[in-house]
Amino acid sequence: MCGIMGYIGERAAVPVLLDGLRRLEYRGYDSAGVAVVEDGAIAVRKSAGKLSQLVKVVEQIPLSGDIGIGHTRWATHGHPSDENAHPHADCRERVVVIHNGIIENFLSLKEELLARGHRFRSDTDTEVLAHLIEEAYRGDLAAAVEQAVAQASGAYALVVLSADEPDKIVAVRRISPLIVGLGQNEILLASDIPALLPHTRDVIVIEDGELAVLTRGGVAISRIGGGPVDRLPMRVTWDAAAAEKGGFAHFMLKEIHEQPRALQETMMGRLPSDEEIALDGVALGPESARRLSKVWIVACGTAYHAALVGRTLLEQLARIPTEVDLGSEFRYRSPLVSGGALAVAVSQSGETADTLAAAREARARGARALAVVNVVGSTLAREAEDVLYTRAGPEIAVCSTKAYLTQLAALAMLATALGQARGTIAPPRVSALIQGLRALPAKAQAVLSLEPAIIALAERLQRTEDAFFIGRGLDYPLAMEGSLKLKEISYVHSEALAAGELKHGTLALVVPGVVVVALGTQPALIEKTVSNVQQVGARGAEVVGVATESTAPVLAPHVDELITVPAIDPLLAPVLAAIPLQLLAYHMARLRGHDVDQPRNLAKSVTVE
Ligand code: AGP
């Protein structure tokens, strides 16, 4: 998964491209490159390593020109190296391409091209596209690009520059995201919105199967093998600052502190009264809600943990059988999905390949698709019948935080609305849940004030190498999320398990010094959780408890350290109790000197299987 940038206008292209790539670096950061039209020829600079490496190269050998393309890479085919960095050129170095996605049939295409005398410089799948365009070129670059991608299968956001037509950029999309930004006397192109915000708020999403030609005069979009497409620009409300760190040391910490606002915005206009939930973008009416036979939720990573909470909410509030599947597993178990079912796909980016494929699989089997997604105009959003946007704003840090909290809030609103439509929850319960939801932003703000105590805890635990997160009921998926956060950025080996499972094996690993984080936010289960805490305490574990004001008195005597969040409806407790877990992981990673926003081996959204 990579970041793509393009510029055509009156300014020097390279500074705009490099700034855009800096804002896209969370999408992949193992190599980068730019290409510009310079005196009628194409000039390329590229380098393995972070963007800062490329900046050094460009400083040593500057580039001029006001038309250019740029790329930051997350390797899928061909290890990170200068040769495998994008852009890639054809044999004559008259055409250069940058690409986000995977060309699944590149090996067979490469063999054919080699047999026809083409010379390859890299091990990437992308380079075949440059040579295919070279072969197809007959004086019309757009036509050549169309012919080239017609031979390719897989996913691509492909952007092309040619010395033979130096006054244009040609871009084409299948699956991987591409957005055009309309600026003052300039046109920009990027993989997503944050890279465009410093220049414009007027954007046009390039849809699947579309080709765009950018010239000084504007952008012309057409369907591959079809006619022109007329699409009005969309005005983005996010401002450039939203994409910057706002004074925090890392995007992750900024995004943790943005959660009260993100929750507020996600509920804005959706809780019109204490009696009603209004979900814009969800056309599923009361009648269809009553007829629903089953809900399938598909998601990956942190979104999957939100989905697990969503299952309990849907089953308890809407009394509808609900199954949760990992996106990467769902379609390979030939699920018994049928018409009358609702398939809910949860995703921050809306571009995660496994989740997209699972959602498509469920639809193909007759389910209605509802997307709970954060990125406006993303593939998942465009393919679903119903779209419930989480309004978390741009989430830059690889480690998902505010998107997770807004997913929980969105799923709680969905479950309550479905329960109301199906008549499975009484009006007083609906009002209590709506009041609980409305109280979340202020209570989340209160939890953030616990940060100093959590920093002190992180200082004490920073050298931990093994940790366990335990919980019962809704605290189990919460434990999974806490454990993932710690693993992702502090690189501590961590495991989450249902507290009741300890005695069936894992307890053997609990020895003095091991850290156990015990989630105890569920009043109905707190006594049971305490007995599990006593089991690990008795084996010398260092136990950190997380409770609400109502469960804290029960848990406090049994833990070494207790973090207490405000009292809240047990079904909404994961929203508040997740915040201390995020802060603990963040500060342990910071204290261990790790690259918190760009943890090793990971990327923000995974658009490959
Ligand atoms: C979470 O911190 C990770 N970045 C990762 O597990 C992520 O949740 C997963 O890849 C799903 O991404 P999505 O929500 O964009 O689909």
Side-chain angles (χ1 to χ4, degrees):
M1 212 257 352
C2 310
I4 276 179
M5 194 71 195
Y7 177 83
I8 187 163
E10 295 166 354
R11 293 187 281 165
V14 169
V16 178
L17 296 173
L18 292 177
D19 176 67
L21 293 181
R22 187 176 59 72
R23 294 166 195 280
L24 292 169
E25 210 178 3
Y26 66 88
R27 303 173 62 87
Y29 31 83
D30 60 45
S31 56
V34 290
V36 297
V37 177
E38 205 176 49
D39 313 327
I42 307 281
V44 172
R45 304 279 185 275
K46 57 184 185 175
S47 158
K50 295 231 168 149
L51 187 65
S52 50
Q53 284 307 104
L54 175 66
V55 172
K56 286 200 197 97
V57 171
V58 171
E59 276 160 5
Q60 281 147 14
I61 326 165
L63 286 169
S64 61
D66 53 15
I67 298 184
I69 58 178
H71 185 272
T72 180
R73 184 176 188 235
W74 182 57
T76 55
H77 293 80
H79 67 286
S81 68
D82 290 356
E83 297 70 36
N84 290 335
H86 296 210
H88 291 289
D90 67 341
C91 299
R92 305 165 310 135
E93 298 189 3
R94 306 278 306 161
V95 170
V96 292
V97 302
I98 54 176
H99 166 230
N100 170 26
I102 283 191
I103 305 302
E104 288 164 345
N105 62 337
F106 86 99
L107 278 177
S108 56
L109 291 170
K110 188 170 181 176
E111 271 151 33
E112 291 161 22
L113 288 159
L114 285 167
R116 293 200 291 273
H118 286 264
R119 285 166 287 104
F120 279 74
R121 301 179 190 83
S122 79
D123 315 320
T124 65
D125 54 332
T126 301
E127 192 183 344
V128 294
L129 297 166
H131 296 280
L132 290 174
I133 295 167
E134 175 183 16
E135 287 217 325
Y137 190 68
R138 301 283 179 279
D140 177 343
L141 184 59
V145 172
E146 273 206 37
Q147 271 185 359
V149 294
Q151 300 166 66
S153 66
Y156 48 80
L158 172 68
V159 181
V160 185
L161 210 50
S162 162
D164 297 315
E165 297 184 37
D167 55 357
K168 66 178 64 162
I169 296 174
V170 173
V172 63
R173 175 203 176 145
R174 185 173 181 281
I175 301 176
S176 305
L178 259 186
I179 301 165
V180 171
L182 307 176
Q184 290 295 322
N185 306 321
E186 55 190 24
I187 311 282
L188 303 107
L189 192 65
S191 296
D192 70 15
I193 293 171
L196 299 172
L197 286 177
H199 314 287
T200 178
R201 291 166 182 265
D202 299 318
V203 303
I204 299 179
V205 174
I206 306 296
E207 307 261 13
D208 258 10
E210 289 182 349
L211 182 140
V213 177
L214 281 63
T215 60
R216 296 185 190 289
V219 57
I221 303 172
S222 57
R223 289 221 47 84
I224 291 181
V229 171
D230 217 352
R231 182 165 307 127
L232 289 177
M234 182 167 76
R235 184 117 185 126
V236 178
T237 54
W238 300 343
D239 59 36
E244 291 299 330
K245 289 193 187 122
F248 288 91
H250 295 96
F251 280 115
M252 182 181 176
L253 189 61
K254 173 177 173 272
E255 289 157 8
I256 289 175
H257 282 266
E258 282 178 344
Q259 294 183 113
R261 183 190 52 69
L263 286 167
Q264 191 123 41
E265 295 206 358
T266 299
M267 293 187 278
M268 209 171 285
R270 292 169 169 168
L271 306 176
S273 72
D274 275 4
E275 289 75 43
E276 189 203 353
I277 292 190
L279 299 179
D280 52 299
V282 178
L284 184 72
E287 192 36 49
S288 340
R290 278 190 285 277
R291 277 205 309 274
L292 280 180
S293 57
K294 180 159 184 170
V295 174
W296 299 79
I297 314 182
V298 293
C300 301
T302 285
Y304 172 74
H305 298 151
L308 290 170
V309 173
R311 171 181 55 195
T312 299
L313 298 174
L314 284 159
E315 292 197 337
Q316 288 203 8
L317 298 175
R319 307 308 291 153
I320 185 166
T322 302
E323 277 198 49
V324 181
D325 272 86
L326 288 165
S328 53
E329 289 294 318
F330 181 71
R331 62 192 174 287
Y332 300 114
R333 73 175 184 93
S334 87
L336 301 172
V337 179
S338 57
L342 179 69
V344 177
V346 184
S347 174
Q348 187 287 125
S349 61
E351 304 294 351
T352 300
D354 288 325
T355 305
L356 280 172
R360 289 174 184 144
E361 180 75 18
R363 285 189 72 198
R365 289 169 180 265
R368 179 190 181 106
L370 185 152
V372 175
V373 66
N374 191 49
V375 176
V376 177
S378 59
T379 306
L380 191 69
R382 289 198 318 290
E383 292 186 0
E385 276 115 317
D386 305 295
V387 183
L388 183 50
Y389 280 119
T390 55
R391 303 187 187 121
E395 190 174 69
I396 310 291
V398 168
C399 212
S400 184
T401 53
K402 60 179 181 174
Y404 171 70
L405 250 62
T406 57
Q407 286 160 358
L408 294 178
L411 290 165
M413 289 191 284
L414 179 67
T416 309
L418 284 181
Q420 206 175 14
R422 294 163 64 86
T424 52
I425 27 177
R429 183 79 181 106
V430 172
S431 304
L433 282 161
I434 290 176
Q435 284 153 17
L437 283 162
R438 281 218 195 91
L440 283 174
K443 291 187 176 183
Q445 194 60 54
V447 178
L448 289 168
S449 64
L450 300 173
E451 189 169 4
I454 295 167
I455 293 172
L457 176 63
E459 276 155 1
R460 214 155 50 69
L461 301 180
Q462 61 180 293
R463 267 172 280 289
T464 301
E465 288 310 332
D466 293 295
F468 293 94
F469 287 70
I470 62 172
R472 283 176 176 267
L474 280 177
D475 284 333
Y476 176 30
L478 183 59
M480 291 166 133
E481 179 56 10
S483 173
L484 178 64
K485 298 286 90 137
L486 195 65
K487 282 187 281 195
E488 269 189 283
I489 53 175
S490 68
Y491 312 152
V492 170
H493 170 254
S494 171
E495 204 176 320
L497 62 161
E501 270 301 290
L502 268 170
K503 53 189 177 298
H504 300 292
T506 308
L507 196 57
L509 292 178
V510 179
V511 293
V514 159
V515 170
V516 173
V517 178
L519 287 301
T521 70
Q522 304 295 307
L525 296 166
I526 192 64
E527 298 295 349
K528 298 263 183 257
T529 301
V530 163
S531 68
N532 301 124
V533 167
Q534 289 168 327
Q535 286 164 4
V536 292
R539 273 85 184 171
E542 159 110 25
V543 184
V544 176
V546 178
T548 65
E549 279 158 7
S550 33
T551 56
V554 184
L555 189 59
H558 307 283
V559 295
D560 302 295
E561 177 109 15
L562 183 65
I563 300 167
T564 305
V565 302
I568 187 82
D569 188 301
L571 293 183
L572 301 176
V575 177
L576 299 182
I579 302 171
L581 305 179
Q582 298 164 345
L583 286 168
L584 181 62
Y586 169 79
H587 286 294
M588 282 183 67
R590 176 183 61 76
L591 290 163
R592 290 159 76 101
H594 294 158
D595 189 336
V596 172
D597 283 340
Q598 296 174 345
R600 67 187 183 205
N601 305 342
L602 299 180
K604 182 62 185 167
S605 84
V606 182
T607 55
V608 291
E609 259 199 65

